[in-house]
Amino acid sequence: MTGTAITDDQGAHGFLQGNAARAVFIVGIVFSLFQIWTATFTPLSTQVVRSVHVGFLLLTSFLLFGLRKSHARDHIPWYDWILAATSFALGLYHWVFEEDLIVRSGDPTTADLVVGVVVIALVFEAARRIMGLALPIMCGVFIPYALLGPLLPGPLAHRGFGFDQLIDQLFLGPEGIYGTPTFVSATYIFLFILFGSFLEHAGMIRLFNDVSLGLVGWAKGGPAKVAVVSSGFMGTINGSGVANVLTTGQFTIPLMTKFGYRPAFAGAVEATASMGGQIMPPVMGAVAFIMAETIGVPYAEIALAAIIPAVLYYTSAFWMVHLEAGKQGLLGLSKAECPSALKAVREGWYLFLPLVALVTLLFSGYTPLFAGVIGLGCTALLIIGHALAGSIPAGLLRWVFWLGLALSAAALNKAGFRAEILISILVLGLALPCLFFLKGRAVLGTIMGSLADGARNAVGVGVACALVGVLIGVTTLTGIASSFAGAIVALADGNLFLALVLTMIACIILGTGLPTIPNYIITASIAAPALLQMGVPLIVSHMFVFYFGIMADLTPPVALAALAASSIARAGHMEIGWLATRIAAAGYVVPFMAVYEPALMLQGDPSVLLVAYMVFKALVGIALWGGAAIGHFLTDLNWPERLWATLGAGLLVAALPITDELGFAVSAAFVVWQWRKSRKAVVTA
């Protein structure tokens, strides 16, 4: 999994050359090794790990991102070297003075305050360079809010806090920039980003594309269906929507346009399918890990709750492209052009083993941190082991090699080594022989590249987590979150639907300028408690704001996923965004259905029959909404027929007495009408 990308690939990686490029490469490797070391051996306190993690994030940010986006990033200016070095040095402050900071907790010195102000300012500047002004301004407003409390009007007023109290909260304690989001970034998120980076370097993208082509490439509208299936597969290892667009989209968008899809529609399909990766178990987006830590439930419960909505989301996208293909008369690829899915799996089956190990550990009750270390180690073992085994000419000797590796693991386990240390020893043991032959050195280069890319991919997520810590720290200090939640409940006046709509609007408005992670953190802190007060189950209330934070990346005017797709499709990102909102119908509808019937998220001890009924109802609603949105079902639809389909879908979403019965009746009449109309069209033809 990678965290939510919050800028385009070009901006993130720039065009650094020579010594500057090598410096960024080395920093990335050291950053990743530090995170693996602390995750495997836990030698440092959590506050120190968070502080050094933020130091590395700021160091990498100032090396990668220029003062202005208009500046060519072919070298690193001297002042960015100074900012980068200062950031990293101050990131060590909690490590060097750890004991002193504990002793004088709550009574910061002048040095503490000065360092705190500088670090907070550096976090704001790094976030501005990566994400623009929206999030820094939103979080920055909370600083004067904390200081000027008594001067504020009405419900915004509070007793006010001193400057030293504010810096103590935001820099020295575990509630500010080193709060829960940074803790999750420094542990689970970073490891899962590395995991996705290793699998991508091992060839997982190619495997997913080949399997997708083999499964659906030949069907009606096959190229677009390949985009949906391939992005769905990528979602199992890479929870970043924009990153998915920029990887699978390079292959799928040109393929769709080549076979007749409009460029804007092709971009919308890829954007929609890629954003679903954040809600696709078993490895979801970074938000899922933050959610698990925030509400105190195992990650496996979050993943289980997301299964049905994720399947419905991708079913909706698949159905939409099928209808568009029917409307436009688009065909698929020829069978000869499609690789064999079975052959692709047969040749690359070993790449699934780390994913299987990861999922097994996550759903067996192990922590995401442990699962991430083991999954990452298994992937590194496969990459290095595959290279070593490939250099052995005889097939039998290759089996002996893998058997010897398994026996070595068993011996280390019997000797009492912890699993994390055991797998580290095996990786190092295989890496050393690679230094002595050409193919081995090449695979070590792949490992180093995976480490460096993983660190670079983690920068946007980590900086966003640190900056949002300012907002969380102030809301914790002042108690504004509970006041805001009370205001939503009062405004809704007991009407749950109105509260849901207000929360949805807040998520989408915030999402016009914010990435998914800070969007979720803010709305989870402020709006989700309001839904909880109105009786919505804990996981469902947080999933509701999570889903609409994702939808914000598809919804104009900003629509970051659409913006990424537009660079490949060469179509306007606004047009792509509006088409994506139609294709992603399930993303807008299913959260409302889940609130009224939590069985859709497997909450509340539901029966199998109830879950099956809710899924069937959602599928019928999606089928009708797809016809209304595209203008085609079994035949092309005129406007009265589209309104008819919309009415049927709306009745199935509503949770009022007899709306289900009316919805099914309207749906059945619509399907019969379309069937008869299609039969007449065939006879006429």
Side-chain angles (χ1 to χ4, degrees):
M1 177 211 71
T2 63
T4 307
I6 40 189
T7 185
D8 58 74
D9 192 62
Q10 177 176 316
H13 295 78
F15 299 97
L16 296 176
Q17 299 173 354
N19 291 332
R22 279 190 287 274
V24 172
F25 187 78
I26 292 170
V27 167
I29 293 172
V30 175
F31 188 5
S32 293
L33 290 176
F34 169 78
Q35 294 294 157
I36 294 171
W37 174 61
T38 56
T40 305
F41 301 101
T42 57
L44 303 173
S45 67
T46 179
Q47 189 74 2
V48 170
V49 171
R50 300 180 201 197
S51 177
V52 178
H53 177 74
V54 171
F56 267 117
L57 290 171
L58 296 177
L59 166 63
T60 312
S61 299
F62 290 119
L63 295 181
L64 283 175
F65 297 91
L67 186 64
R68 295 184 182 89
K69 288 188 177 181
S70 59
H71 287 183
R73 198 64 172 171
D74 55 355
H75 71 285
I76 301 172
W78 62 268
Y79 52 82
D80 280 343
W81 282 111
I82 293 175
L83 288 174
T86 302
S87 299
F88 183 71
L90 296 183
L92 302 176
Y93 190 78
H94 281 268
W95 194 353
V96 174
F97 300 105
E98 182 178 17
E99 186 176 335
D100 294 336
L101 290 173
I102 293 172
V103 170
R104 62 174 181 262
S105 177
D107 185 24
T109 64
T110 302
D112 294 339
L113 297 177
V114 170
V115 172
V117 169
V118 173
V119 171
I120 293 168
L122 289 170
V123 169
F124 271 88
E125 171 59 13
R128 184 198 66 79
R129 293 186 179 201
I130 299 171
M131 292 168 274
L133 287 170
L135 185 59
I137 289 174
M138 182 173 295
C139 293
V141 166
F142 280 77
I143 291 177
Y145 172 76
L147 298 172
L148 305 175
L151 304 177
L152 296 173
L156 293 177
H158 58 85
R159 71 177 182 86
F161 297 89
F163 183 76
D164 58 336
Q165 290 176 292
L166 180 62
I167 300 303
D168 184 62
Q169 174 83 350
L170 298 185
F171 174 68
L172 296 173
E175 297 290 342
I177 61 174
Y178 304 129
T180 298
T182 297
F183 165 71
V184 179
S185 172
T187 50
Y188 318 147
I189 293 176
F190 195 97
L191 285 179
F192 280 78
I193 288 173
L194 271 182
F195 177 72
S197 177
F198 269 71
L199 280 180
E200 287 179 23
H201 277 261
M204 195 60 121
I205 294 177
R206 184 180 65 252
L207 174 61
F208 284 155
N209 285 339
D210 286 347
V211 171
S212 303
L213 277 169
L215 289 175
V216 297
W218 48 268
K220 181 169 70 174
K225 292 176 180 175
V226 167
V228 175
V229 175
S230 180
S231 295
F233 282 147
M234 277 298 294
T236 63
I237 65 165
N238 178 355
S240 168
V242 177
N244 274 0
V245 172
L246 294 170
T247 50
T248 59
Q250 299 286 351
F251 165 72
T252 58
I253 292 176
L255 185 66
M256 282 187 271
T257 54
K258 176 183 175 183
F259 278 82
Y261 281 96
R262 292 173 290 152
F265 189 85
V269 169
E270 181 56 47
T272 303
S274 293
M275 288 309 299
Q278 295 183 72
I279 60 171
M280 174 57 75
V283 183
M284 300 162 65
V287 171
F289 294 94
I290 294 174
M291 185 191 304
E293 192 68 28
T294 300
I295 64 179
V297 301
Y299 172 80
E301 284 190 33
I302 304 292
L304 281 173
I307 286 176
I308 294 175
V311 171
L312 291 175
Y313 182 94
Y314 277 101
T315 301
S316 172
F318 194 90
W319 177 243
M320 291 289 193
V321 300
H322 177 79
L323 293 177
E324 178 74 9
K327 183 178 181 180
Q328 302 293 337
L330 302 177
L331 303 176
L333 288 74
S334 67
K335 289 270 189 178
E337 292 179 278
C338 298
S340 167
L342 190 60
K343 181 183 177 183
V345 172
R346 197 162 51 236
E347 292 177 351
W349 62 270
Y350 61 91
L351 292 174
F352 290 107
L353 293 178
L355 189 59
V356 171
L358 182 74
V359 174
T360 302
L361 291 171
L362 284 174
F363 284 85
S364 298
Y366 291 95
T367 66
L369 188 63
F370 177 82
V373 169
I374 300 302
L376 186 60
C378 288
T379 311
L381 276 179
L382 275 176
I383 293 174
I384 301 172
H386 188 66
L388 290 174
S391 63
I392 300 174
L396 180 60
L397 290 178
R398 293 179 187 176
W399 284 104
V400 171
F401 167 81
W402 288 112
L403 180 61
L405 187 63
L407 291 174
S408 300
L412 289 170
N413 182 59
K414 190 172 182 180
F417 285 91
R418 283 170 39 211
E420 306 98 306
I421 299 174
L422 182 156
I423 204 160
S424 301
I425 293 172
L426 292 177
V427 170
L428 290 174
L430 289 184
L432 289 175
C434 290
L435 294 170
F436 302 104
F437 64 101
L438 187 61
K439 189 174 180 181
R441 288 193 291 273
V443 81
L444 289 182
T446 299
I447 296 293
M448 295 297 105
S450 301
L451 291 170
D453 282 351
R456 285 197 291 266
N457 292 338
V459 168
V461 175
V463 171
C465 288
L467 182 59
V468 173
V470 172
L471 185 149
I472 293 176
V474 173
T475 56
T476 304
L477 195 64
T478 62
I480 187 179
S482 58
S483 301
F484 190 88
I488 289 181
V489 173
L491 188 61
D493 194 24
N495 187 318
L496 178 58
F497 180 75
L498 182 56
L500 293 174
V501 171
L502 290 172
T503 304
M504 176 189 73
I505 293 172
C507 293
I508 291 177
I509 290 175
L510 284 171
T512 59
L514 304 184
T516 307
I517 292 172
N519 189 350
Y520 163 75
I521 294 171
I522 293 169
T523 50
S525 302
I526 296 174
L531 301 182
L532 199 60
Q533 284 185 38
M534 300 187 76
V536 179
L538 180 65
I539 290 180
V540 176
S541 63
H542 280 258
M543 281 287 192
F544 186 88
V545 298
F546 174 24
Y547 285 165
F548 281 108
I550 292 171
M551 290 301 102
D553 273 352
L554 294 175
T555 308
V558 177
L560 290 175
L563 192 62
S566 69
S567 64
I568 304 171
R570 301 189 182 280
H573 96 277
M574 287 288 284
E575 185 183 2
I576 291 175
W578 288 121
L579 286 169
T581 58
R582 286 164 48 189
I583 296 170
Y588 294 90
V589 171
V590 170
F592 281 90
M593 298 180 71
V595 168
Y596 287 105
E597 185 43 79
L600 205 53
M601 290 186 182
L602 303 178
Q603 300 299 298
D605 195 23
S607 66
V608 175
L609 284 177
L610 178 58
V611 172
Y613 171 74
M614 289 300 299
V615 170
F616 176 72
K617 188 172 80 161
L619 288 172
V620 174
I622 287 169
L624 265 65
W625 170 251
I630 299 298
H632 182 84
F633 197 74
L634 300 179
T635 66
D636 287 348
L637 303 181
N638 54 36
W639 277 107
E641 289 171 326
R642 294 173 83 162
L643 291 173
W644 186 357
T646 303
L647 174 64
L651 286 169
L652 290 172
V653 172
L656 301 172
I658 78 163
T659 52
D660 281 7
E661 291 83 350
L662 288 173
F664 282 122
V666 171
S667 303
F670 175 79
V671 172
V672 170
W673 170 265
Q674 274 288 292
W675 177 75
R676 293 185 62 185
K677 188 178 174 182
S678 66
R679 291 291 299 270
K680 287 180 181 178
V682 171
V683 171
T684 303

